[in-house]
Amino acid sequence: MASEELASKLQRRLQWEEGDRGLQPAPGAAPDPEPQPQSQPPAWAPTARADAELSAQLNRRLDINEGAARPRRCKVFHPYSEFPEFSRRLIKDLESMFKLYDAGRDGFIDLMELKLMMEKLGAPQTHLGLKSMIKEVDEDFDGKLSFREFLLIFHKAAAGELQEDSGLMALAKLSEIDVALEGVKGAKDFFEAKVQALSCASKFEAELKAEQDERKREEEKRKVRQAAFQELKAAFSA
């Protein structure tokens, strides 16, 4: 019974396909009341999807070229692992500087905030110059600087990837942090300090351990103060 039902379905399917090709069903074949919908997508579906994906990529590339592309979601940014040549203290100091000029407190430095930064650093730029500065490190094409892109400026400067007379090089040079205070081996020059940090493989671990030791010392001091307070409290209660 099952085999006869399967044979009947196969025959109807064959007749339906022949009908699509403009052929007549075989004489004596049972008429097919209604063709059943296909469980699989038509053969042209993968091609259509590929065309749609290609079209979307081309449209995004056009938007990027015209400056109208919407930023895509990025992975979580870990500055210490992505910029191992920078010490932890240096990254924190650069983060403080970034937040100082992030007047909107939105996690970005836009064109007007960059304009104010360059003016305060003593290297004012034209409107086109500011746009060019952002474009050089603007990885997500959103027209503003994230903290990662801000660090990328100093990375490129240290690697010699910036033009000597460019706005970004002026920003990197004029915003140098006193490395003698921030603790990168007491170097006098900002870029020399970063080269020295590269040659010190365990520097990150050493700084992390120093921070942990400092927290332990603070915790011990807190416990001593708490114990002294309890003793004083017990003396008054007696």
Side-chain angles (χ1 to χ4, degrees):
M1 181 66 181
S3 59
E4 292 177 359
E5 184 178 0
L6 178 61
S8 176
K9 288 182 179 180
L10 290 174
Q11 186 178 19
R12 287 200 301 270
R13 179 63 180 271
L14 179 62
Q15 293 170 1
W16 180 68
E17 290 178 352
E18 289 176 347
D20 280 352
R21 298 189 185 97
L23 300 177
Q24 296 297 325
D32 187 10
E34 285 293 336
Q36 299 296 322
Q38 291 180 322
S39 59
Q40 299 293 330
W44 47 265
T47 304
R49 285 197 297 269
D51 290 343
E53 291 175 0
L54 179 59
S55 177
Q57 292 178 2
L58 291 174
N59 287 336
R60 176 165 176 80
R61 176 52 54 186
L62 288 174
D63 290 340
I64 289 173
N65 293 338
E66 295 173 0
R70 297 180 62 184
R72 290 176 172 171
R73 293 180 64 87
C74 300
K75 62 179 182 179
V76 177
F77 170 48
H78 299 287
Y80 303 118
S81 59
E82 293 196 37
F83 295 91
E85 70 271 28
F86 296 162
S87 70
R88 288 173 62 86
R89 178 65 180 275
L90 179 58
I91 288 178
K92 288 180 179 179
D93 288 343
L94 289 173
E95 184 178 16
S96 297
M97 178 183 177
F98 179 86
K99 290 180 178 178
L100 176 65
Y101 291 101
D102 177 19
R105 298 293 184 267
D106 58 354
F108 297 93
I109 292 179
D110 60 24
L111 191 139
M112 293 307 297
E113 291 166 342
L114 180 61
K115 178 177 182 293
L116 178 62
M117 175 190 289
M118 297 307 294
E119 289 174 352
K120 288 192 174 183
L121 291 175
Q125 303 288 314
T126 64
H127 183 78
L128 290 178
L130 293 167
K131 291 182 69 174
S132 177
M133 289 174 64
I134 293 176
K135 185 177 181 181
E136 191 162 353
V137 291
D138 189 11
E139 297 180 318
D140 52 7
F141 305 101
D142 61 355
K144 50 190 176 182
L145 298 177
S146 65
F147 181 51
R148 185 187 190 285
E149 292 163 347
F150 184 71
L151 291 179
L152 193 60
I153 296 172
F154 297 91
H155 171 82
K156 285 178 171 287
E161 298 175 5
L162 298 178
Q163 296 292 330
E164 189 65 29
D165 58 348
S166 67
L168 291 183
M169 180 61 81
L171 188 157
K173 286 184 174 181
L174 294 173
S175 61
E176 290 178 7
I177 297 170
D178 189 347
V179 291
L181 294 178
E182 66 88 25
V184 187
K185 296 186 180 296
K188 293 181 180 180
D189 182 79
F190 180 80
F191 301 115
E192 179 185 348
K194 289 189 284 188
V195 172
Q196 290 184 9
L198 280 170
S199 65
C200 184
S202 62
K203 183 172 184 61
F204 179 86
E205 289 80 3
E207 291 178 345
L208 184 60
K209 187 176 184 303
E211 290 183 3
Q212 292 173 345
D213 291 342
E214 180 65 24
R215 284 196 293 268
K216 288 180 180 179
R217 287 193 294 269
E218 290 295 330
E219 181 64 20
E220 290 173 358
K221 290 179 181 179
R222 187 188 66 80
K223 289 180 178 179
V224 169
R225 290 194 300 269
Q226 188 175 13
F229 175 77
Q230 293 296 335
E231 290 180 3
L232 183 62
K233 182 179 179 182
F236 276 104
S237 300

